[in-house]
Amino acid sequence: MPRVNYRSYEVDEMARMMRAEAEGEGKQGMLYVGNVIVNRCAATCLDFKDINTIHDVIFQVQGGNYSFEAVQKGNVFYQRARTSEKRLAKQNLNSWRVHPAKYALWYFNPHAPCPPTWYGQPHSGQFKEHCFYEPKAGTCDSVYRG
C-alpha cells in the first residue's frame, strides 16, 4: 500500500522533479528528493497542512515563490520523465525511505558545508551536495508514520 494516494500523472510530475533537482546525484540522490516530496504530502503540519497531493507538493508556493527551485526556474519540465525515473518515483510512493531523507521535509544545496539547522530545523544528514533537514521533535509527528 502506498504511503500517499497518487494518480498516474503525478508519478510523471514527481519523476520529472526528481530528475530536475538531483539528476547529477544519481539514482540515490533522486530517491532522496522523492523522499522529501512524499514526506511533504504525508505531513499534516507546519507549512504542509493543506498539501494533500503530489501535485500540490510540487507546485506549492511559499513566500511568493514555488518551493522547489526546478519549478521556479521552469526546468522541472525540461524533458519528459524516463521510464527509470518513473520507476524511482513509484519506489518512493510505495514506501521507500532511507536516511538522511527518511523523515526530511527540506533539502538544499548550500554550495558549502551543511549548516546544523535550516530555518530552525535540525540537519539529518547529507548526500553529495544536498543537505537534508527533518522537523524538530514534537512538531510534525505525521511525517514519521507509514
Side-chain angles (χ1 to χ4, degrees):
M1 183 168 155
R3 286 191 61 221
V4 297
N5 293 324
Y6 62 91
R7 295 191 166 109
S8 61
Y9 74 89
E10 290 175 306
V11 173
D12 184 71
E13 288 176 348
M14 185 169 156
R16 288 189 276 171
M17 175 62 76
M18 292 163 67
R19 182 177 181 184
E21 289 277 321
E23 182 177 29
E25 297 191 357
K27 290 178 182 178
Q28 194 75 20
M30 287 189 279
L31 283 166
Y32 289 143
V33 167
N35 274 176
V36 171
I37 292 168
V38 174
N39 288 345
R40 287 181 177 192
C41 189
T44 56
C45 58
L46 304 169
D47 294 334
F48 312 104
K49 289 178 185 168
D50 298 318
I51 304 299
N52 301 309
T53 68
I54 295 298
H55 181 84
D56 291 347
V57 171
I58 291 171
F59 294 100
Q60 181 183 18
V61 174
Q62 294 177 304
N65 289 310
Y66 288 108
S67 296
F68 291 104
E69 185 176 347
V71 179
Q72 287 176 24
K73 294 183 175 181
N75 65 343
V76 67
F77 298 111
Y78 71 101
Q79 289 184 15
R80 290 186 314 207
R82 297 177 288 210
T83 302
S84 60
E85 285 116 19
K86 289 180 185 180
R87 195 172 18 254
L88 294 175
K90 284 184 181 179
Q91 273 185 263
N92 282 126
L93 290 161
N94 292 321
S95 297
W96 189 94
R97 295 197 298 177
V98 175
H99 178 78
K102 186 171 186 174
Y103 305 116
L105 290 173
W106 305 275
Y107 66 87
F108 82 111
N109 178 349
H111 302 287
C114 296
T117 62
W118 195 54
Y119 292 102
Q121 306 302 325
H123 179 242
S124 59
Q126 181 174 354
F127 182 76
K128 295 188 179 181
E129 301 297 318
H130 282 99
C131 304
F132 293 88
Y133 297 83
E134 59 184 61
K136 282 192 267 187
T139 62
C140 191
D141 293 339
S142 56
V143 80
Y144 298 100
R145 290 189 209 121

